[in-house]
Amino acid sequence: QVQLVESGGDLVQAGDSLRLSCAASGRTFTKNVMAWFRQAPGKDREYVAGISWRSGVTTNYADSVKGRFTVSGNNTKNTMYLQMDNLKPEDSATYYCAAALNPPNFRWVKAYAYWGQGTQVTVSA
């Protein structure tokens, strides 16, 4: 099992920046991809960004956050971050950290076996 703990969520204003963190523990050798998802009330969980250490380091972003969000991390230290700049009210959601071993697709929710409890991000207009 891999345990994931997110932190860094907050209430901010539109245009502000925020940095989320995710710390992994447990059988961390059973993961080589980590990702951020988010879920707003009444909506499906959606992919935000991911980082893979399968062959070097590869990052991937949803179109809605590309150019505003930056994912980073260290597989050896079992950490992942999400730098969120120029936040918009539509970014408001609970943000979840997820981890998997060789998922077929960054964006497929069901590919991730491990999930954190989430951290709340609220962006006021």
Side-chain angles (χ1 to χ4, degrees), residues 4 6 20 22 35-40 45-46 48-49 80 93-98 115-119:
L4 302 173
E6 307 95 334
L20 304 183
C22 175
W36 290 99
F37 288 77
R38 66 187 181 188
Q39 188 167 19
R45 190 166 296 190
E46 67 170 352
V48 175
M80 179 178 64
T94 300
Y95 282 70
Y96 296 92
C97 172
W115 292 86
Q117 294 299 308
T119 186

Side-chain angles (χ1 to χ4, degrees), residues 10-123:
D10 204 349
L11 169 62
V12 297
Q13 294 185 333
D16 284 353
S17 296
L18 204 56
R19 190 190 195 212
L20 304 183
S21 299
C22 175
S25 61
R27 297 171 60 88
T28 55
F29 59 87
T30 61
K31 62 134 179 73
N32 56 10
V33 174
M34 296 181 73
W36 290 99
F37 288 77
R38 66 187 181 188
Q39 188 167 19
K43 294 188 177 182
D44 292 335
R45 190 166 296 190
E46 67 170 352
Y47 172 78
V48 175
I51 183 166
S52 168
W53 293 281
R54 283 183 285 192
S55 178
V57 180
T58 303
T59 58
N60 181 275
Y61 298 92
D63 288 343
S64 59
V65 306
K66 200 172 292 183
R68 299 189 298 122
F69 291 10
T70 303
V71 63
S72 62
N74 186 313
N75 198 36
T76 302
K77 296 182 179 179
N78 297 307
T79 55
M80 179 178 64
Y81 307 98
L82 186 66
Q83 177 66 39
M84 304 186 293
D85 297 320
N86 190 23
L87 282 160
K88 303 176 181 180
E90 50 264 43
D91 294 319
S92 296
T94 300
Y95 282 70
Y96 296 92
C97 172
L101 181 65
N102 298 322
N105 188 307
F106 268 117
R107 304 172 183 234
W108 192 29
V109 172
K110 294 184 178 180
Y112 292 86
Y114 308 110
W115 292 86
Q117 294 299 308
T119 186
Q120 180 66 40
V121 173
T122 304
V123 184

